[in-house]
Amino acid sequence: MTQHSRYDVLFEPVKIGPVTAPNRFYQVPHASGMTNALPRVRAAFRETKAEGGWGVICTGACSIDPSSDDAPLPFASLWDDNDIRAHALMTEAVHRHGALAGVELWHGGASVMNRASRMPPLSPSGIPWMATHVGFMGNLRPKTMDRSDFRAVLKWQSDAARRARSAGFDIVYVYAGMGYLGYEFLLPEYNRRTDAYGGAIENRVRFVREMIETTKDSVGMDCGVALRISLEELRGRPGRNGESEAHEVISLLADCPDLFDVKMDSSPTDCSASRFTAEASHEPVIDFVKQLTDKPVVGVGRFTSPDTMVSQIRRGILDLIGGARPSIADPFLPRKIKEGRLDEIRECIGCNICISSWHDSVPVRCTQNPTAGEEWRRGWHPERIDCVARAERMLVIGGGPAGLECALTLARRGHEVTLVEAARAFGGRLAFETRLPGLSTWGRVLDYRLGRLKLMTNVEMFLDSPVGVDEIIEWAPERVVVATGARWTRMLYSSMELPVGQLDHPQVFTPDDLAAGRVPEGPTLVFDFDNYYMGGVLTEHLAGLGIAVQYATPAGHASAWTIMTNELPLVHRALAQRCVPVTTLHLLSEFDGETATLKHLFTGEPLRLGCRSIVIVGLRAPRGELLAALEARSAELAAAGVRSVDRAGDALAPGAIVHAIHSGHRVGRELDLAERTPAYRRDFPIVECDTVEA
Ligand code: ADP
Ligand code: SF4
């Protein structure tokens, strides 16, 4: 028995209606931030996963009509024949590797704002999604669908399905999830109709059934028809003829689609961050589906462990292992499993930076995989890299995320690499952060890189080695990369929304102080204007140590930016569970060792909070001493044979781990090029000019 034969089940073909997936690795539809305006970027991004062994590769949401318009959030479209070529680039690319291509046809119903099309959103009963976060709020309420709207939506779906087939898709979706139109018919909160489409569950599934039927009528001979459905809410509702309404819906539709793609209802639960949710978290909601239908079932759960995947198949939970994030972090995950190269899997860390890309309306970024989204525009491949003709002696200073990625990239290119780290362990900021509540999975950033580096014969690594200019001159490398990271400062925050002034007091701490082992005394206030995870996580950490801690921020929410990573609701829940008082919209202005004085961001009204210590989680600034010293002695360096000094990661511009990894990777690829690429290739839309009026 070969080492990996227990995973053979993952490589069995699965029939999906008239088409057959070559294996069980199914890249479910997921947002890529790549609209029809970036067709080459999109095709290359999806192709890389097909090359890496995913048997099915799907698009993200693909609108069937301008009445489903999420702009400025990114989405694809199949509104007319002009859209076909852009998609065909992707299907051709995916087919080159023997994978199937799926398209997630989508109507957003009341959950889109139609900002660009300016059409009224459609919904079963005119009930809007009233989001409380500004990024998702809209002022245009949806129209209640009448008979002509039903006819129209069904026609858009069948027309889009036919276009999808022309574009080369093998699997065509009907979408009934995540607050979008099909889903709205299933839930009585949205669907208050009293006609044949509302009321009893048999009526509420009617629209979804008709969408499936019209899709089958249009393309069912050639394409598998998939139903993507959210089951979380429905599972919580007792059914009349089944255990829950979710059971009833699946029973009623059991024979309709060729595939069930089952998921949760909201982005924060469907695509939950590892900080709050473990692998396979969907199972308690979707575990029953296979018992009620003979059709194949695909589901997700941030699966990166082949043993978990096999368990899902063997226990009859899923037929196909759905992956979105794991396929972004490692497009070659299936091939690595097949070839028994499990140590080489670049496991998703569940940070949800990829999701923030969609919220930012930009092509997808990934913390673990710096090449994601860069396949076409920079020509970066996640597994292949050109080797250099002549190896140079490279010195990388700093063993945090940026330094590790840079050293690995340089070594993969064949250079002779020395990596030095001042601390007693590699990891930089992650050495501390992975010990904070919920962040242990982020250690995979280090595990993957250290695991690879330790196997390379052209890399030397030194811990406990703070390096200065003298050492560098003595070493005389040909090139130096400074990846020495950044420091948290004690800067405060002004009403102009700028870091200004500094709060100096012995009992004022920064995250670096806590990382160094200092522990604040007595009741502690965490003042956060970094707005990402650190303020919230440190608050949880201090509460866990038994310290009476409260949290204040000038933003409207705790860890406000985490709305972008689906974490914000769970951050607030975690702070509430720890009984942490949260003060928003306040600036910290003074501290005398007993009392912190805050001011309301807009009114200036003072607020006094009793505390003995303050932790400021605000501005980070590059650790610049070494760079300054190198610059001051540049002539000596040149005389010693040092040809270039580059900066990477936080030493260049402090950011999140995703920035450090990307920066380290880019420097590793480019620092020795005669001409450094100034930017990247720019993609452009494909338009059939003869059908577009000037
Ligand atoms: P990044 O996210 O950019 O990788 P980090 O702060 O996580 O930044 O990591 C930077 C690392 O560089 C830290 O582990 C730090 O100990 C190390 N470092 C800083 N200065 C030196 C130096 N002069 N010599 C060796 N290592 C250094
Ligand atoms: Fe996973 Fe984070 Fe990459 Fe998303 S950005 S795929 S969550 S590692």
Side-chain angles (χ1 to χ4, degrees):
M1 198 161 106
T2 61
Q3 192 205 343
H4 53 277
S5 62
R6 71 193 143 117
Y7 305 131
D8 286 352
V9 67
L10 300 173
F11 296 92
E12 293 169 351
V14 179
K15 221 171 136 25
I16 302 170
V19 298
T20 302
N23 59 39
R24 296 184 191 268
F25 288 93
Y26 191 111
Q27 183 247 276
V28 292
H30 74 78
S32 67
M34 299 159 192
T35 63
N36 286 21
L38 299 173
R40 296 161 192 82
V41 168
R42 185 170 66 185
F45 171 67
R46 302 288 183 193
E47 175 174 12
T48 307
K49 304 185 197 199
E51 186 192 351
W54 294 85
V56 179
I57 309 289
C58 297
T59 65
C62 180
S63 172
I64 58 173
D65 182 77
S67 60
S68 177
D69 153 32
D70 227 1
L73 288 169
F75 60 94
S77 59
L78 270 171
W79 290 348
D80 56 37
D81 290 354
N82 273 326
D83 282 337
I84 293 174
R85 267 305 298 157
H87 287 287
L89 275 192
M90 173 214 157
T91 60
E92 286 157 12
V94 162
H95 288 158
R96 275 199 284 277
H97 304 278
L100 299 180
V103 59
E104 185 185 46
L105 295 186
W106 159 79
H107 196 291
S111 291
V112 291
M113 302 303 160
N114 290 349
R115 294 176 182 94
S117 71
R118 305 188 70 173
M119 300 166 91
L122 298 175
S123 77
S125 310
I127 310 291
W129 178 42
M130 303 291 284
T132 52
H133 197 280
V134 70
F136 303 105
M137 285 180 195
N139 307 318
L140 182 61
R141 303 294 167 238
K143 174 196 176 200
T144 301
M145 283 172 67
D146 59 26
R147 289 230 154 259
S148 66
D149 293 319
F150 279 95
R151 280 196 299 276
V153 177
L154 292 169
K155 182 166 185 323
W156 300 331
Q157 174 76 15
S158 64
D159 287 350
R162 273 191 280 269
R163 287 184 200 114
R165 180 179 54 191
S166 301
F169 285 106
D170 310 286
I171 297 172
V172 177
Y173 269 73
V174 171
Y175 201 169
M178 305 282 277
Y180 298 126
L181 188 59
Y183 174 90
E184 290 164 18
F185 275 87
L186 300 176
L187 284 197
E189 285 85 347
Y190 277 106
N191 182 354
R192 303 193 188 162
R193 299 183 77 93
T194 52
D195 61 7
Y197 292 96
I201 192 78
E202 292 78 4
N203 283 354
R204 281 185 269 137
V205 300
R206 192 179 308 278
F207 173 71
V208 174
R209 180 196 294 282
E210 288 177 0
M211 289 289 273
I212 298 168
E213 284 169 357
T214 198
T215 312
K216 283 202 125 175
D217 289 347
S218 308
V219 299
M221 292 286 285
D222 307 308
C223 305
V225 174
L227 172 65
R228 192 164 218 210
I229 186 164
S230 292
L231 297 173
E232 199 178 359
E233 274 290 326
L234 292 166
R235 178 100 202 232
R237 291 159 197 261
R240 272 187 298 126
N241 306 313
E243 191 183 316
S244 73
E245 289 203 339
H247 290 72
E248 291 183 333
V249 168
I250 298 295
S251 298
L252 287 164
L253 298 174
D255 296 325
C256 288
D258 298 315
L259 170 79
F260 282 91
D261 179 338
V262 291
K263 61 182 332 217
M264 309 290 257
D265 293 41
S266 74
S267 203
T269 52
D270 191 58
C271 207
S272 186
S274 61
R275 199 175 146 190
F276 302 103
T277 314
E279 189 178 25
S281 64
H282 292 204
E283 187 177 324
V285 169
I286 58 88
D287 58 356
F288 71 95
V289 177
K290 259 185 69 60
Q291 293 155 25
L292 300 181
T293 178
D294 295 331
K295 308 291 177 165
V297 177
V298 61
V300 295
R302 202 163 36 76
F303 298 120
T304 56
S305 149
D307 292 310
T308 309
M309 297 175 195
V310 169
S311 160
Q312 294 276 316
I313 307 288
R314 296 264 185 246
R315 290 185 297 117
I317 309 296
L318 297 174
D319 296 294
L320 293 142
I321 300 301
R325 290 172 291 174
S327 74
I328 300 171
D330 197 340
F332 276 60
L333 184 143
R335 263 175 68 170
K336 289 176 182 176
I337 295 174
K338 187 162 196 179
E339 293 163 12
R341 296 186 286 131
L342 303 190
D343 291 349
E344 294 180 35
I345 296 174
R346 203 168 35 247
E347 287 185 287
C348 166
I349 68 166
C351 61
N352 284 359
I353 282 293
C354 46
I355 293 166
S356 77
S357 324
W358 179 71
H359 289 136
D360 273 341
S361 305
V362 296
V364 71
R365 301 164 292 218
C366 173
T367 299
Q368 273 284 55
N369 175 12
T371 69
E374 305 285 19
E375 300 84 356
W376 182 83
R377 65 176 203 171
R378 289 192 204 267
W380 290 0
H381 189 277
E383 302 298 316
R384 285 194 301 275
I385 196 161
D386 288 340
C387 270
V388 289
R390 187 182 76 80
E392 294 184 52
R393 292 181 60 231
M394 304 285 184
L395 175 64
V396 179
I397 304 169
L404 290 172
E405 177 63 26
C406 187
L408 179 58
T409 307
L410 288 168
R412 288 173 63 207
R413 295 182 59 226
H415 287 298
E416 293 295 326
V417 181
T418 301
L419 173 65
V420 290
E421 164 56 50
R424 292 208 189 108
F426 289 107
R429 59 188 293 191
L430 278 176
F432 170 60
E433 293 179 16
T434 51
R435 301 201 308 268
L436 295 172
L439 296 188
S440 62
T441 310
W442 291 22
R444 291 172 176 182
V445 169
L446 309 179
D447 297 343
Y448 170 73
R449 289 167 179 83
L450 286 169
R452 304 286 79 223
L453 280 165
K454 282 176 183 161
L455 295 176
M456 303 189 91
T457 51
N458 54 338
V459 180
E460 284 191 303
M461 297 163 72
F462 299 97
L463 287 172
D464 228 346
S465 307
V467 162
V469 185
D470 290 338
E471 287 85 1
I472 296 171
I473 289 172
E474 198 178 315
W475 234 309
E478 288 174 81
R479 296 183 193 273
V480 176
V481 179
V482 178
T484 49
R487 284 193 191 91
W488 293 92
T489 70
R490 288 175 171 71
M491 296 293 268
L492 289 172
Y493 183 86
S494 81
S495 55
M496 282 179 69
E497 307 202 309
L498 294 172
V500 285
Q502 188 158 303
L503 191 61
D504 287 315
H505 187 283
Q507 285 301 105
V508 171
F509 298 80
T510 69
D512 291 328
D513 296 323
L514 274 58
R518 291 184 65 199
V519 180
E521 268 171 36
T524 299
L525 172 70
V526 173
F527 177 64
D528 178 13
F529 62 91
D530 171 64
N531 296 327
Y532 191 18
Y533 59 93
M534 188 54 115
V537 165
L538 278 185
T539 306
E540 278 190 71
H541 170 64
L542 294 175
L545 295 178
I547 294 171
V549 58
Q550 46 185 320
Y551 172 99
T553 177
H557 290 89
S559 297
W561 192 81
T562 61
I563 188 73
M564 311 295 269
T565 51
N566 286 348
E567 294 167 297
L568 188 135
L570 302 162
V571 170
H572 272 268
R573 198 177 300 169
L575 295 180
Q577 277 164 355
R578 303 250 191 204
C579 301
V580 174
V582 172
T583 304
T584 58
L585 299 181
H586 276 79
L587 310 170
L588 175 62
S589 57
E590 288 165 36
F591 176 58
D592 62 9
E594 298 287 334
T595 305
T597 305
L598 287 78
K599 286 191 178 143
H600 192 278
L601 182 62
F602 304 131
T603 66
E605 191 73 23
L607 171 72
R608 292 189 176 81
L609 301 175
C611 60
R612 300 289 305 279
S613 305
I614 290 182
V615 180
I616 297 179
V617 184
L619 180 72
R620 292 166 72 223
R623 265 194 207 103
E625 305 83 340
L626 180 59
L627 273 163
L630 286 168
E631 214 166 284
R633 294 172 63 184
S634 56
E636 289 173 69
L637 287 167
V642 175
R643 297 167 63 191
S644 65
V645 176
D646 276 88
R647 285 186 280 172
D650 294 329
L652 177 66
I657 311 293
V658 61
H659 302 112
I661 296 284
H662 188 271
S663 167
H665 190 84
R666 186 169 178 202
V667 170
R669 280 198 186 246
E670 298 181 353
L671 89 171
D672 54 339
L673 299 186
E675 264 185 58
R676 301 212 185 168
T677 46
Y680 45 79
R681 281 201 287 176
R682 291 173 66 188
D683 205 353
F684 48 91
I686 300 172
V687 178
E688 310 292 335
C689 294
D690 53 344
T691 61
V692 177
E693 287 174 25

